[in-house]
Amino acid sequence: MKTFEGSMTALATPFKNGKLDEDAYRALVDRQVYGGTSVILPIGTTGEAVTMTADERAQTVKVAVEAARGRVPVVAGAGSNSTAETIESVGRVRELGADGALIVTPYYNKPTQFGLLQHFRAIAKAHPGFPLIAYNVPGRTGVDLLPETVMWLCDIPEVVALKEATGNMARAVDLVEKCGDRISLLSGDDFTVLPFIACGGKGVVSVSSNVAPRMMADLVAAARAGDLAKARDLQVQMNALHKLLFVESNPIPVKWALHLMGVFGPEIRLPLTPLSEPQAAKLKEELTRLNLL
């Protein structure tokens, strides 16, 4: 069973005239590979998956897999608030050549902890041997996957990692206490990469690495190697960038940053709108400071 660790990027999705910009997406994948990213994750929150049709999501995963060319693993977002739909989505990304699936906890319908456990059991049973990363982001889903439940998920071989996006370091310690090294614990929060790894995490699923893949890869590598001074310097150096990339709803700022950098155009789908002018000016200033423009 594959494991996923290190600096992992939740890819933004470039659109052009209302459609996936395949050329820009391939270039973005190349940029990530050359920047030291260990795993790419298409069609997650940062990839605007919720505004895409099933066919568009399939096309995006297909292009990501082709562009990666086996150089890095591809883990595709496949979660929904319906277990049956999630099972179908996992099957689709598996057929398209993805190496694993990122499964967000079901949103809106607020399942119990037992319901969450049964959700992941059903997905794993339908796709034996296919790696799954559970994704806990209570701020967006309205449900929290508790450490005690994650401990039960450890009995499901297909669940190989957890993306934990609470930003709570006490939670990280609880997860290590209950799960040990059974699964890879991944920060879902760019602000906490160093402390999360210090608590036992194995990496990050990052938004900021869309913009600065080498800096994030170096930060994760230093933190995992125990080079506290270098990791701290990079965490602090990137702090203002992290703040600006979340000053409005993700992925509004990161897509604007990539536009400013000439990676792809500014197009974003409603109900999200382009970054406001005052914040755009601050972001441009910070990108210049980091020599990213």
Side-chain angles (χ1 to χ4, degrees), residues 2-135:
K2 290 186 178 181
T3 58
F4 305 109
E5 301 179 354
S7 180
M8 305 165 59
T9 299
L11 292 176
T13 305
F15 297 117
K16 186 175 182 180
N17 299 322
K19 298 180 180 180
L20 173 68
D21 186 340
E22 291 195 12
D23 290 341
Y25 202 47
R26 293 177 192 277
L28 179 63
V29 172
D30 281 342
R31 190 171 180 274
Q32 291 298 313
V33 174
Y34 297 144
T37 296
S38 59
V39 181
I40 58 171
L41 294 94
I43 61 169
T45 303
T46 309
E48 295 176 84
V50 292
T51 65
M52 300 166 74
T53 66
D55 286 345
E56 287 177 321
R57 289 192 292 270
Q59 178 192 12
T60 304
V61 174
K62 181 176 182 291
V63 173
V65 169
E66 290 174 352
R69 302 197 307 275
R71 294 174 293 173
V72 295
V74 176
V75 175
S80 78
N81 63 339
S82 160
T83 303
E85 183 179 341
T86 301
I87 289 171
E88 181 180 340
S89 296
V90 172
R92 187 177 303 115
V93 302
R94 189 176 189 178
E95 290 174 359
L96 290 166
D99 299 286
L102 179 70
I103 309 297
V104 70
T105 53
Y107 41 85
Y108 189 76
N109 42 10
K110 294 186 177 181
T112 64
Q113 295 299 302
F114 181 70
L116 291 172
L117 175 60
Q118 296 306 313
H119 178 72
F120 283 97
R121 280 178 173 167
I123 298 164
K125 183 178 180 181
H127 296 286
F130 190 64
L132 307 174
I133 299 179
Y135 178 16

